[in-house]
Amino acid sequence: MTLYPLLPLRDIVVFPGMVVPLFVGREKSVAALEAAMAGSKDIFLLAQLDPGCDDPDRDDLYETGVIASVLQLLKLPDGTVRVLVEGHHRAQLESLNPQSTSHGDMLMAEVVQIDPEVVSGTEVSAMMRSVVDQFAEYAKLSKKLPQDAGQQLGDIEDAGKLADAVAANLAAKVADKQAVLSETDALKRLEMVLSFMEGELGVLQVERKIRGRVKRQMEKTQREYYLNEQLKAIQSELGGGDGEEANEVQELQDKIDNLKLSKEARAKANAELKKLKTMQPMSAEATVIRNYLDVLLGLPWGKRSKLKKDIPGAQAILDADHYALDKVKDRIVEYLAVQARTNKLKGPILCLVGPPGVGKTSLGKSIAKATGRQFIRQSLGGVRDEAEIRGHRRTYIGSLPGKIVTNLRKAGASNPLFLLDEIDKLGQDFRGDPASALLEVLDPEQNAKFQDHYLELDIDLSDVMFVCTANSLNLPQPLLDRMEIIRLEGYTEDEKVQIAERHLVNKQVEAHGLRKGEFTLEQDALRDLIRYYTREAGVRTLEREIARLARKSLRKILEGQEKSVTITPENLDEFAGVRKFRHGVSDEENQVGAVTGLAWTEVGGELLTIESVTVPGKGAVRTTGKLGEVMSESVQMAFSFVKARSPAYGIKPSIFQRKDLHIHLPEGAVPKDGPSAGIGMVTAMVSTLTGIPVRADVAMTGEVTLRGRVLAIGGLKEKLLAALRGGIKTVLIPEENRKDLAEIPANIREGLEIVPVSHVDEVLSRALVGPVEAIEWTEADDLATQPAAAPLPGSAPAAPTAH
């Protein structure tokens, strides 16, 4: 037995004949090396069972090690020692003896050297050849060994040395290598290393196949990635940046963690982000997912505008922005009152219906301002694609979310005011019906789970306040049923004057750069401008006319002709040009067969002239003026009524056998329809057939039956406004519409004599200049007035009939 300094080894086994560099840092190990260098330079190398043990004892070490000599020792600046050792002989550990020397504390190992056995024979030669061939194959597949390692081992003739050399170069576990070191039989060691190599060769071959397959699959992607990275580096250099980009995936993850997403949205976002992590950044699918996450995370999850609860303040804002329109203002203030008390109310869905220019769109902005909501406007005029509302599915290239989601993202709050402008102008074609898509959006019971095709998630729209605008109610009935209809009729003359003085004049003065005091529009001139230059329900044309006055005034001031301009009724023609309309018909003569009717259009009420003349014929009635089917039937019904009641109105029935009636409604290019001109038709026919003129200052509206009853009509306020604008003094309306007069502004009721009538006889007594006088007429009179039959050839002429 011999005593050697002990150097415990971690994660390595040294074989005889093997030269290995080691890094030593433990104090006892360094002391053992120094003691060896001071003596014979021999040291005992023994592997540890547990590499993590810093102070191993007898139980922490294997039994078999190697006696080695120290070839070189180098102390590094950090205190560690780099040593080069060469293994010589196997040795068995017998005992450990701690010692304290001048070099420090260390372990001395008492060992017994194991002499190598020499084996030979055919089996040994065959085994050695198999090991060499197998190792050559292993060296080719392993990247850690030189390609000629197999040839170098072919020169070794000793079986034990060959087994040790192969074991030293194998990538095997420490326990496996220690088993080879502990085996003294050379033939068994060869069998052991051959078995280890076969296992390693199987793993290496599989790795090689996987690498080849992955290389083929990823070659194109890696090339693109490499080029893209180069492009990024070039762009970074051109931009003067440091070439480092923010971690996009981490940013998206932070957004998902910080936003107040719904449970469904969070799960969807995390799933999409997980897919994005596994994709190449520049692939097409990654771009689709990135865009999807941008839209999803850009929605205002949990963000709400603070709603105003100041009811007087809201009323003041609405009054300051718009004059009149009391009905819609009351509805908004009522909503705010309920909101203030309950703190939770589904957003109302209002539909403002009225002619152009009455302030529907601007009223939406004022409502948003009064309620404290973000204002979003979406024009629906000409929209024909259902995907504009619900979005496109992500399977399409270039797919986008619908306008609802897009504008919600733009608003930045989950409770904005959403103005759907011109909802009656929606179209439809082969791509779907957007009006049907709006059924879900505008239903308070459904829109809490609105589904956008792009997001494929439930979006809560119950807090959104929807306001729609339309010029008519020409909408699908299910859509109408979901909205609260608020009608905005046209403005009266007094209301237009107030709107112009409060808003329009100041707006145009500022828009044209006029200074204070340079432009003045007197109220009388403003009334003349409204009467003679505009004929509309709203105020758009009026605003354009005021803009024309401002332009001409500014030109005079800049040319030095005037320092300030005052528009009066006397000089209005100079600035506004020739009058476009006549206000009032009181100066016109009463005419036979000419009746002033009242019509409703999408742009407000209009005066409708009905003309009637008799022409030679056989009792037929002709109509011109592009009349619709309903109005044509109304003419036929009026004609039948007049024929049936002709004697009571002083009309000889025989006239219908000699004369035709021609009914014409001027402005023949404009389509006209509806039954409300019925009493006008009767009045025109009776006036023509009796020769009694119709009063020029009387207008009328009402449907007539074959019994002469006058039935209710719609659009009363617009028609009365048209009569007031046209200078009419008396308006005949159906008795059934008397209840609607409560909603008519007081200035209209005061400016017109409104006469409810229930029968045509009341209409005729009011509209005709003179009374109709009944005549006595019998069937015998009809026969007596018929022309005599022509005499037969050769016969005497018939005698005249006496009356």
Side-chain angles (χ1 to χ4, degrees), residues 331-339 345-348 373 465:
R331 178 64 184 88
I332 299 305
V333 175
E334 290 166 6
Y335 162 74
L336 287 176
V338 179
Q339 177 76 37
L345 182 67
K346 290 181 179 179
R373 295 174 180 265
M465 183 176 184

Side-chain angles (χ1 to χ4, degrees), residues 630-643:
V630 176
M631 185 169 278
S632 298
E633 290 178 355
S634 181
V635 172
Q636 292 293 339
M637 189 168 53
F639 186 55
S640 297
F641 173 78
V642 172
K643 287 175 72 175

